[in-house]
Amino acid sequence: MSTDTGSRRALVTGASSGIGAATVRLLTQRGWSVIAVARRAERLEKLREETGCEVVVADVTSDADVNALAEFVASSGDISALVNNAGGAVGMDWVDQADAEDWARMYEVNVLGVQRVTKALLPSLRRASAQLGVADIVTISSTAAFLSYEGGAGYTAAKAAVHSMLVGLRLELSGEPLRVVEIAPGMVKTEEFTLNRFGGDAARTEALYEGVEHPLVAEDVADVVRYALESPPHVNLDLIQMKPVAQAMQHKLHRGPLKPKL
Ligand code: 8X3
């Protein structure tokens, strides 16, 4: 580990469950001071009791909430890491059936949420980078940024936009000690991602993972966030795609045990 995490403060969005909550847990265990951000106050409170993190209730789709979040950070101490994790998928409707409202919601949360939060916290990250020599913007996108699939077009379009935004941001920050890291996970079995996507249909959610040996879990992604943040300051992990071994491609998912061909 190259940096003294004791002096480092991270802010994690979408922290109430899944990858966000796992990242808060791991970073606090590693000695980071962490601000957990999400809409659901009760879940955040439990996370605070468990990990000692600070919590801020905010919706990344709200200008007022994000401005208040930036004010909280400015008045309580700069962050050296922003983890843009809030996001999600709404539905699996084909283009000829999809409701534009669902697509707008996905664009709002996944794309504009990242832009809004990054813009609001960049001044803090810049100040921290001046003190520490580096600061980080880590964004959780998806393998969906790089490959479309039937029923996924609204989500893949949003995640492709996130990827494109991050490439532009990295160029715009050229010359500053700021790292822009994109982590693009494939199948991650979390409590809520697919359940939310399928409108709470638990049986349909279970069926998606059925027979898949070891889908990724939230902790796997959190570990890559930690690795990126704790890499030597000159190392920028631009883009990490990660999938379970059983998922050679989004559409090439092996169900059943993995076995060598001997
Ligand atoms: C989730 C991955 O394959 O459901 O971001 O689009 S996938």
Side-chain angles (χ1 to χ4, degrees):
M1 194 176 68
S2 63
T3 39
D4 171 15
T5 57
S7 63
R8 298 185 69 181
R9 191 176 194 214
L11 185 148
V12 180
T13 67
S16 57
S17 72
I19 295 167
T23 302
V24 173
R25 289 190 183 98
L26 183 56
L27 292 183
T28 51
Q29 281 162 18
R30 298 282 303 170
W32 285 72
S33 155
V34 181
I35 308 168
V37 178
R39 288 173 301 168
R40 291 176 293 181
E42 273 178 32
R43 280 180 170 249
L44 284 182
E45 189 50 34
K46 283 196 182 126
L47 195 60
R48 188 188 66 73
E49 283 166 19
E50 179 194 331
T51 66
C53 68
E54 296 169 273
V55 302
V56 175
V57 177
D59 181 344
V60 299
T61 69
S62 157
D63 279 333
D65 282 12
V66 172
N67 288 340
L69 177 63
E71 279 167 27
F72 170 78
V73 170
S75 64
S76 62
D78 287 320
I79 55 164
S80 61
L82 165 63
V83 182
N84 284 312
N85 166 70
V90 184
M92 281 283 284
D93 294 322
W94 289 34
V95 174
D96 66 356
Q97 297 289 323
D99 184 341
E101 289 295 316
D102 289 344
W103 285 41
R105 175 75 193 150
M106 286 191 275
Y107 201 84
E108 260 297 330
V109 179
N110 292 289
V111 187
L112 303 182
V114 170
Q115 185 270 338
R116 188 179 282 109
V117 173
T118 301
K119 177 182 174 185
L121 292 168
L122 204 43
S124 180
L125 290 160
R126 283 185 162 129
R127 286 191 296 270
S129 76
Q131 294 294 317
L132 298 170
V134 72
D136 296 299
I137 300 160
V138 177
T139 302
I140 311 300
S141 66
S142 170
T143 49
F146 306 101
L147 195 73
S148 298
Y149 51 90
E150 300 94 323
Y155 180 65
T156 60
K159 288 298 190 181
V162 173
H163 169 70
S164 188
M165 172 174 37
L166 296 175
V167 174
L169 177 66
R170 195 177 295 112
L171 290 166
E172 289 167 4
L173 298 179
S174 171
E176 298 191 68
L178 292 166
R179 301 188 291 194
V180 177
V181 177
E182 176 180 359
I183 300 175
M187 177 178 261
V188 186
K189 189 173 184 185
T190 60
E191 185 192 349
E192 292 187 307
F193 176 85
T194 305
L195 195 62
N196 286 343
R197 181 177 215 175
F198 292 162
D201 185 336
R204 192 176 171 201
T205 299
E206 260 324 295
L208 181 72
Y209 301 103
E210 197 178 337
V212 178
E213 188 171 302
H214 297 307
L216 296 180
V217 292
E219 288 72 18
D220 296 323
V221 184
D223 197 37
V224 176
V225 175
R226 176 207 60 77
Y227 184 88
L229 293 178
E230 295 183 0
S231 290
H234 65 288
V235 176
N236 192 84
L237 297 176
D238 280 24
L239 169 63
I240 302 116
Q241 287 205 52
M242 56 188 296
K243 301 194 288 304
V245 177
Q247 189 182 33
M249 278 275 189
Q250 283 92 323
H251 57 277
K252 185 76 177 170
L253 185 63
H254 182 81
R255 297 185 195 271
L258 299 170
K259 7 179 227 277
K261 286 185 181 160
L262 295 171

